Amino acid sequence: MPKSKVRKKADYTPSPASRTPVKVKAGPSPAWYVAIMLGFMLAGLVWLLVYYLAAEQISWMNDLNAWNFLIGFGLMVIGLIMTMRWR
């Protein structure tokens, strides 16, 4: 039985344009960005601490009930999301 011809495949070589590294033009974050980022995280922590320790004395905070957890953790999550843009 005759053997079929073997086709030679061309080797894949990526284009040199796709191999150039991406240069990030952004420099380090300003000091105020870091201060705001840490401020959000600390504000969330303080909110939860005040809720646990003094919610009975603060009537409007006591009226929020479980929403205090959303507010406190929400502030901390905003700070954590800001850490992804921090350089």
Side-chain angles (χ1 to χ4, degrees):
M1 179 170 210
K3 193 173 183 182
S4 63
K5 293 182 181 180
V6 178
R7 295 180 185 163
K8 186 176 180 180
K9 293 182 181 178
D11 293 335
Y12 175 73
T13 55
S15 66
S18 66
R19 298 186 73 201
T20 51
V22 177
K23 294 179 181 170
V24 178
K25 294 180 181 178
S29 297
W32 58 265
Y33 187 85
V34 178
I36 291 174
M37 175 183 69
L38 292 175
F40 272 118
M41 288 189 271
L42 288 174
L45 180 66
V46 168
W47 187 279
L48 290 175
L49 285 174
V50 168
Y51 172 64
Y52 274 118
L53 298 176
E56 294 85 22
Q57 288 83 21
I58 305 171
S59 63
W60 60 270
M61 185 176 262
N62 201 16
D63 293 339
L64 290 175
N65 292 329
W67 285 99
N68 286 302
F69 294 113
L70 179 70
I71 294 168
F73 285 118
L75 289 170
M76 286 191 276
V77 167
I78 290 171
L80 288 173
I81 289 172
M82 288 179 72
T83 61
M84 289 189 268
R85 304 260 323 189
W86 178 35
R87 297 189 184 268

